[in-house]
Amino acid sequence: MPGVPADYLAARARENEFAQQARRALAEAIPQIATQAQSEIARVLWVAASAQDPRQERAVVDAAMALAVSDAALHSFQGVEPANALRLNKEAQLAFWTRRNVSEAFDLQLKAFGANPRDPEIAGNLAFLHLKVNPLQPEVARQLALHAIAIRGSRFRPGRLEDWNTYAIASALTGRNVDARNALFVAVALANDVERNCIAGRSAIASYGERLREPVEAMLYRIHMQGRGYESAYCAWPPDWVARARYQ
């Protein structure tokens, strides 16, 4: 292209290669990693399902931190470029949270993932955006969230709270209600302040509808039974929609 610097064209071409690498990973490596991660995470979900007493939540955290998923599939990710991945990830977050441009954010996040599929935050952000595009892609989001939790590393030893929430939402949207409920229980165990969980749960119902109501209500009820509902009005039990239904 006349007048366009060669280094700019080279950078754009490399970003397109990142996008292609990401699509290959999503089609080939990520489903395999997700299958293995689901098997490992099943124990964490089981522990969370039983942790009704707040004193049992340490066991949930310990189980999450003990997750061990083979990194054999990660060897298929070649030529990672962490610096470019972080740059693209930052640009994607600005596009979504500042400009509210979902398509631009998704494109940038896909390229970031292609540049470094081993970064849990980048993978988790791409999982989240698969629940924002039109049409939604909840199964891909679920697999990516599992991948993000599996490769969490030392920065996020029990997994990021955001990724457990994404996994819960995607599980509900793909008909895995038990996994969705128990994943929200995991998120409660990981949280220092449950207000964030309650806000996220209410937002999930508002965004995705009835398929999220049952697991979110189960989470709110657990918070109530643990005596933690007083921490925020968003965590009140019964939630306002239940109270309204009783008087209709």
Side-chain angles (χ1 to χ4, degrees):
M1 294 176 61
V4 179
D7 56 349
Y8 174 84
L9 293 176
R12 297 292 79 76
R14 186 65 182 127
E15 288 182 9
N16 289 334
E17 291 175 8
F18 292 152
Q20 293 174 4
Q21 290 170 192
R23 293 187 184 98
R24 283 197 297 272
L26 291 174
E28 299 169 7
I30 296 305
Q32 298 177 31
I33 295 171
T35 297
Q36 183 184 0
Q38 180 68 59
S39 177
E40 294 295 327
I41 282 173
R43 180 179 180 276
V44 184
L45 299 177
W46 178 81
V47 173
S50 305
Q52 298 182 26
D53 189 301
R55 291 169 295 184
Q56 297 173 295
E57 291 190 336
R58 182 67 238 181
V60 181
V61 176
D62 289 344
M65 292 175 68
L67 278 170
V69 178
S70 170
D71 63 355
L74 297 178
H75 294 314
S76 63
F77 301 142
Q78 302 297 323
V80 297
E81 297 187 19
N84 273 324
L86 291 174
R87 173 182 60 81
L88 289 161
N89 179 66
K90 182 177 180 180
E91 292 176 4
Q93 294 304 292
L94 286 171
F96 183 80
W97 295 108
T98 302
R99 295 192 293 278
R100 299 294 177 177
N101 189 324
V102 175
S103 60
E104 179 189 5
F106 184 87
D107 179 66
L108 289 164
Q109 197 68 50
L110 186 71
K111 292 172 180 176
F113 181 71
N116 188 7
R118 300 175 183 175
D119 187 307
E121 183 175 350
I122 289 172
N125 289 342
L126 184 59
F128 170 79
L129 287 172
H130 273 84
L131 296 176
K132 298 299 179 182
V133 293
N134 186 15
L136 304 180
Q137 299 181 46
E139 177 55 24
V140 180
R142 188 186 72 87
Q143 292 177 6
L144 275 167
L146 284 165
H147 171 64
I149 295 167
I151 61 168
R152 63 206 183 280
S154 58
R155 286 164 57 200
F156 313 109
R157 287 189 62 196
R160 297 195 316 154
L161 189 63
E162 296 92 336
D163 297 333
W164 283 104
N165 279 329
T166 297
Y167 171 72
I169 292 170
S171 294
L173 293 176
T174 54
R176 298 171 172 89
N177 271 14
V178 174
D179 285 349
R181 180 198 67 201
N182 293 339
L184 290 179
F185 291 163
V186 174
V188 168
L190 297 181
N192 293 322
D193 180 353
V194 293
E195 180 177 61
R196 182 179 174 188
N197 303 65
C198 299
I199 292 173
R202 288 168 174 270
S203 177
I205 293 175
S207 297
Y208 305 108
E210 289 300 313
R211 285 177 289 181
L212 270 296
R213 189 177 300 278
E214 181 180 341
V216 169
E217 286 186 355
M219 178 193 72
L220 292 173
Y221 184 68
R222 169 163 290 190
I223 290 170
H224 166 71
M225 292 301 293
Q226 291 180 345
R228 301 174 70 184
Y230 67 87
E231 294 181 21
S232 169
Y234 294 103
C235 301
W237 184 265
D240 47 7
W241 61 81
V242 172
R244 284 197 301 268
R246 288 178 178 174
Y247 292 101
Q248 287 178 351

